[in-house]
Amino acid sequence: MKKILGISFCVVCLSLVGVAARPHAADDKASFEKWVEQANKAQTDNDAKWMEANLTSGYVEGTSFGTWIPKTQLVKDANDPANNKFTKSDFSDTQTEIVGNIGLARFKESYDAVIEGKHRARTIICSMTAVKEGNIWKGLSNHCSQVE
């Protein structure tokens, strides 16, 4: 009888550990969606401090103009508001998904801006990828294509 009680106790304990260790998908999704909003706001507001803190060192952005922009260049450009300024930036059709500790976002953006000193206005579709490190999301990559 003691053996059965001991085994039953172990099974209950292991079950509780399994429930406690289960990822909190709803919390992760909500925190990732908030992170995506902050990432888009940081770009349109030229918030270099946010970018520095919330993008991985290997972050790379693929633009709809066929160029790759590493984090260092993105931060440098954000610190130059005379050559990088958004006058319009509308985000729509945002969809997010969490796979393990990876967050995926897809969205549409219509913008009017000066980027690297050149006037740009277009509608693009983008996919953004981030990784959750502990309780913090960090951007890995963003890629956009022009909508024709």
Side-chain angles (χ1 to χ4, degrees), residues 60-133:
V60 176
E61 194 165 290
T63 73
S64 62
F65 295 98
T67 60
W68 295 108
I69 303 175
K71 176 183 176 177
T72 53
Q73 184 65 44
L74 194 65
V75 170
K76 180 181 173 190
D77 290 347
N79 281 315
D80 185 9
N83 285 315
N84 295 284
K85 182 176 182 170
F86 283 79
T87 55
K88 173 191 166 207
S89 183
D90 297 323
F91 295 92
S92 63
D93 303 331
T94 302
Q95 300 172 7
T96 61
E97 183 177 349
I98 305 297
V99 180
N101 67 333
I102 301 295
L104 306 167
R106 291 172 298 282
F107 54 89
K108 186 181 214 178
E109 178 186 9
S110 293
Y111 70 86
D112 192 331
V114 173
I115 300 173
E116 296 178 337
K118 297 176 185 167
H119 178 255
R120 313 276 185 159
R122 56 177 41 183
T123 299
I124 55 178
I125 56 172
C126 302
S127 59
M128 183 183 290
T129 308
V131 62
K132 190 166 190 185
E133 297 176 343

Side-chain angles (χ1 to χ4, degrees), residues 18-65:
V19 168
R22 199 175 46 173
H24 301 287
D27 292 343
D28 285 349
K29 187 168 174 89
S31 69
F32 178 63
E33 288 172 349
K34 182 177 179 181
W35 184 90
V36 169
E37 288 176 25
Q38 292 171 341
N40 287 334
K41 184 173 179 0
Q43 185 164 13
T44 57
D45 291 350
N46 286 320
D47 190 344
K49 189 179 251 186
W50 189 94
M51 292 176 197
E52 192 65 53
N54 293 281
L55 303 177
T56 62
S57 60
Y59 178 89
V60 176
E61 194 165 290
T63 73
S64 62
F65 295 98

